[in-house]
Amino acid sequence: MSAPVDPTTTKAWAALTEQHQNLKPDLRAWFDADPDRAKNLTFTAGDLYVDLSKNLVDGDVLSALVDLAGEVGLAERTEAMFSGEHINVTEDRAVLHTALRDPENVSVEVDGTDVVPQVHEVLQKVYAFADSVRSGSWTGVTGKRIETVVNIGIGGSDLGPVMVYEALQPYVQDGLECRFVSNIDPTDVAEKTRGLDPETTLFIVASKTFTTLETLTNARLARSWLLEGLKSSGAVDDTDAASKEAVAKHFVAVSTALDKVAAFGIDPDNAFGFWDWVGGRYSVDSAIGTSVVVAIGPENFANFLAGFHLIDEHFRTTEFSRNVPALMGLLNVWYNNFFGAQTHAVLPYAQYLHRFPAYLQQLTMESNGKSVRYDGSPVTTDTGEVFWGEPGTNGQHAFYQLIHQGTRVIPADFIAVATPANPLTDGDKDVHELFLANFFAQTAALAFGKTADQVRAEGTAEEIVPARVFAGNKPTTSIMAPGLTPSVVGQLIALYEHITFTQGVVWGIDSFDQWGVELGKQLAQEVTPAVAGDEAALAKQDPSTQSLITYYREHRF
Ligand code: F6P
C-alpha cells in the first residue's frame, strides 16, 4: 500500500488555510444573500435527509474540502476497504464490515476466499437460533421458555447491541427482555441478574477474542449464578452432567475464537462465529448482534442490515460533492484542523437513541484517536476529536449554555425522526411536535444567535445586554429520517462509520487498530497481585500507585 499523503502538504490544505484566514462566518448574512443555501446544502443518503447549511462553509470551502478528499486518495482508500485489501496495516487485516451487510449475490474476496457466503451462513444460523428462542422451542434446562437474554460483552461486543436494542424498543417481542453486562465492577452482573429466574434466563457471551478479562470474568460469575440458582431450587442436581446440560441450555457464545469458546465449556454448536476482518466497534451487524436478533427478530434484523447497505452504496458510489458521509467527515476535519475544535456533540432528538452518543464514542475515538500514521510516521495535524452527547431536550437544560455562549467551537449533529414511536398529546398539543420544535429552534438559535439590538428591543437593561447576546455562527448539521425503523438505525450507524473512515483517511491513520487500550490492560494484570496483598508486587509500583493501593487495603470494609 502506498504511503499516506500528508494532508497538510496538499494544494487543498493551502487553499483551506487561506480560506479560513479570510472567512468571516456570518450565517445570517449568508442565508440572506443566498435564498437557496438550505436547498443547495441539503443532501439525501438513503432515507436520511441531511442539512449541512448551518455549517461554517461557503461554496469555496466545500470545493476545497472535496479537493482535499481527492488529493488524499479517499476514493482509492474506500475501494481498497470495500474490496478486502489489508488496510488495517498494523494488524495486517482486511476491513470488511461492509461485507456483513452485502446481499447474497455479491462477492467479496479476502485473501482469495469469497466471504459473503460465510456471512450468510452464519446469519442463517443466528436467525434459526433467534427464531427458536422467540417461538419458545428453545427452552431452558427445565423446559421453560426463555424470557430474558443477558448479553455479556464489552466495548464493541456491548455498545452496539445495547444501543440498537434501546433504539428499536418498539420492535422487541413482548415477553422478551435483554439485559447487558459489560463492566467488571461486580455490581454490574449482580444488578443485571437481580430478580431474574435462572430457569428462564439465557446468556450470550459475546467476545471477538474470547480473551477479554471483563467478559470472561462476568461469564464465569453468570455461570456460577445460574448453577447455584438452579441447584438451590432443586431444578437440577449436583452432578457434572446436570451442570453441563444446564450450561448448554443457558449459554451461547459469539466469537472469532471458537476453540476458546469450547474451552470455556460452551458447546460449539451453540456458538456463532465471525472473522478477524470485522473490527469490534464495527461488529453489531455480525453475530455480535445476536441479542438484537433475538429481541427484534430476523426480518427486522435483515432490514437493519439493508439500511447499512444503502449507505455503503451511497458512500461508495456518490461523488464527494454530494456524498453525505464524505462531506460530514470533511467538515469534521475543517473544524478540527482549522477552527481548533476539540469536541463534537451528537444530540439525538429521539429518546430511543439515548445510547447512540456512547456507541459513537468507541466508534470514533477508538478509531481516530491516533498520533501516528499507518506507516508509523507521526501525524502531521490534530486527529480524533472527543465525541459526546445526550438526548435532547435533556442536554438543553444541562450543557447547551456552553455551546450557545461559551468560547469554544463545538460542532453539533442534531438527529430527529418525523414519526414518533409514541404519539401522545398534552391537551390539544402533539408532544412530538413540541419536542421537534426544540430541535428546530436550537439549530436556528445556534446558527443565527440574537444581536444586542434584538436584546435591547425586548426592554433589557443595558448592563444585562451583553450577557443576553447570542453570537450565533455555532455550526450544526441536522439529520432527519421518516421514523426510527431498523433500516434507519442501520443507516445512521453506517453514516458515522464512513464519516470516521473519511477523517482517518485524511489524517493518514489506521482507523482500525486500537493499540492504545493495551497498556492499561497489561498494567492491570501486573497490579492485581499487589491489590490482593502481595508485598513484593506492591513494592514494584510507583509511589502514587502504592499509596492508592495502600489506601484501598486500609479502608475496605
Ligand atoms: O477495548 C479494546 C477492545 O479490543 C475493543 O476494541 C473491543 O470492542 C473490546 O475490547 C472487546 O473485545 P472482545 O470482543 O474481544 O471481547
Side-chain angles (χ1 to χ4, degrees):
M1 192 158 46
S2 53
V5 175
D6 176 352
T8 65
T9 64
T10 60
K11 280 194 195 136
W13 198 273
L16 288 164
T17 306
E18 198 183 324
Q19 282 160 357
H20 179 254
Q21 273 160 8
N22 298 331
L23 192 78
K24 297 197 174 36
D26 192 344
L27 285 166
R28 275 177 188 248
W30 293 347
F31 272 90
D32 284 348
D34 178 6
D36 289 334
R37 182 176 170 92
K39 193 173 95 200
N40 292 340
L41 291 178
T42 297
F43 303 89
T44 53
D47 296 316
L48 306 179
Y49 177 87
V50 182
D51 179 355
L52 303 180
S53 66
K54 295 193 188 86
N55 280 285
L56 305 183
V57 285
D58 57 19
D60 290 342
V61 172
L62 264 191
S63 54
L65 287 169
V66 166
D67 290 346
L68 177 64
E71 286 189 76
V72 298
L74 179 59
E76 295 76 11
R77 296 280 292 168
T78 302
E79 228 20 64
M81 174 172 73
F82 275 87
S83 57
E85 275 185 42
H86 285 212
I87 63 165
N88 177 354
V89 285
T90 72
E91 296 180 310
D92 192 16
R93 288 176 184 167
V95 174
L96 267 179
H97 42 279
T98 50
L100 296 169
R101 49 264 191 159
D102 267 329
E104 269 181 294
N105 59 356
V106 171
S107 152
V108 181
E109 293 208 352
V110 178
D111 306 325
T113 307
D114 182 2
V115 297
V116 178
Q118 299 172 21
V119 166
H120 283 270
E121 194 183 318
V122 173
L123 264 182
Q124 291 314 319
K125 190 174 170 188
V126 172
Y127 288 173
F129 165 72
D131 276 335
S132 70
V133 175
R134 290 164 64 81
S135 69
S137 67
W138 177 295
T139 63
V141 69
T142 58
K144 290 190 182 166
R145 68 185 292 159
I146 300 300
E147 291 171 3
T148 311
V149 173
V150 181
N151 187 81
I152 301 176
I154 195 165
S157 301
D158 167 73
L159 289 162
V162 72
M163 183 276 282
V164 176
Y165 174 72
E166 292 294 320
L168 295 176
Q169 274 301 304
Y171 296 83
V172 174
Q173 176 169 296
D174 283 346
L176 263 178
E177 184 200 354
C178 292
R179 296 185 184 188
F180 297 85
V181 174
S182 53
N183 201 337
I184 199 169
D185 182 338
T187 297
D188 202 11
V189 75
E191 284 298 332
K192 300 288 172 47
T193 51
R194 193 183 297 284
L196 294 184
D197 177 357
E199 292 183 55
T200 59
T201 301
L202 176 85
F203 292 95
I204 300 176
V205 186
S207 174
K208 179 176 169 180
T209 55
F210 229 76
T211 58
T212 304
L213 178 72
E214 291 86 341
T215 300
L216 294 189
T217 305
N218 281 325
R220 281 190 293 272
L221 292 172
R223 187 169 55 187
S224 302
W225 173 87
L226 177 88
L227 294 176
E228 279 161 25
L230 291 173
K231 284 175 190 172
S232 67
S233 68
V236 303
D237 63 35
D238 220 2
T239 60
D240 282 353
S243 296
K244 208 171 162 203
E245 196 195 341
V247 169
K249 298 300 287 179
H250 292 268
F251 271 82
V252 300
V254 183
S255 185
T256 58
L258 296 179
D259 51 333
K260 296 194 175 76
V261 170
F264 182 85
I266 296 176
D267 185 345
D269 280 349
N270 297 339
F272 309 100
F274 62 115
W275 307 271
D276 71 1
W277 41 262
V278 182
R281 52 196 175 273
Y282 298 87
S283 66
V284 64
D285 45 344
S286 72
I288 287 289
T290 298
S291 53
V292 177
V293 188
V294 174
I296 67 171
E299 198 179 325
N300 285 320
F301 197 80
N303 290 335
F304 172 63
L305 296 181
F308 280 90
H309 185 65
L310 266 181
I311 300 299
D312 291 344
E313 288 294 294
H314 168 91
F315 181 58
R316 191 177 187 178
T317 62
T318 309
E319 60 185 85
F320 294 141
S321 60
R322 292 183 298 111
N323 187 315
V324 175
L327 288 172
M328 288 180 70
L330 292 165
L331 283 171
N332 290 354
V333 168
W334 175 235
Y335 295 124
N336 255 279
N337 299 131
F338 296 89
F339 287 78
Q342 297 192 343
T343 81
H344 189 111
V346 178
L347 308 167
Y349 279 65
Q351 183 62 28
Y352 286 132
L353 285 176
H354 69 110
R355 291 296 288 164
F356 194 54
Y359 168 79
L360 289 183
Q361 287 184 324
Q362 187 198 17
L363 174 66
T364 58
M365 290 153 75
E366 206 172 72
S367 295
N368 285 342
K370 311 282 164 70
S371 305
V372 293
R373 300 188 291 169
Y374 65 72
D375 64 351
S377 61
V379 294
T380 55
T381 186
D382 275 333
T383 63
E385 67 274 49
V386 175
F387 276 75
W388 58 284
E390 281 287 323
T393 57
N394 300 3
Q396 290 175 207
H397 294 273
F399 51 77
Y400 277 36
Q401 164 68 38
L402 188 148
I403 307 181
H404 280 288
Q405 288 190 315
T407 56
R408 298 173 189 282
V409 179
I410 302 179
D413 299 345
F414 282 68
I415 305 171
V417 294
T419 312
N422 297 288
L424 295 174
T425 51
D426 174 26
D428 60 355
K429 289 201 186 74
D430 180 324
V431 181
H432 185 63
E433 291 182 357
L434 289 178
F435 186 39
L436 287 190
N438 276 276
F439 170 111
F440 302 133
Q442 288 294 332
T443 59
L446 288 163
F448 307 120
K450 192 171 184 183
T451 63
D453 285 346
Q454 286 176 302
V455 177
R456 276 187 203 106
E458 290 172 345
T460 306
E462 194 57 33
E463 63 274 21
I464 312 290
V465 168
R468 299 192 60 175
V469 167
F470 289 69
N473 299 313
K474 312 289 185 190
T476 63
T477 292
S478 298
I479 303 170
M480 294 199 69
L484 201 58
T485 60
S487 170
V488 164
V489 173
Q491 293 176 50
L492 284 171
I493 299 173
L495 170 68
Y496 280 90
E497 286 176 348
H498 299 316
I499 290 170
T500 304
F501 175 76
T502 299
Q503 292 180 247
V505 170
V506 172
W507 293 324
I509 58 185
D510 181 342
S511 295
F512 302 100
D513 62 13
Q514 57 284 317
W515 297 107
V517 298
E518 293 305 320
L519 178 60
K521 287 187 196 171
Q522 188 192 323
L523 291 185
Q525 290 200 349
E526 288 169 29
V527 169
T528 301
V531 179
D534 178 333
E535 293 299 334
L538 183 64
K540 286 190 197 145
Q541 305 305 318
D542 65 83
S544 167
T545 306
Q546 282 186 23
S547 96
L548 291 167
I549 293 172
T550 304
Y551 175 89
Y552 157 72
R553 285 170 50 189
E554 287 172 2
H555 288 82
R556 178 169 171 162
F557 52 82

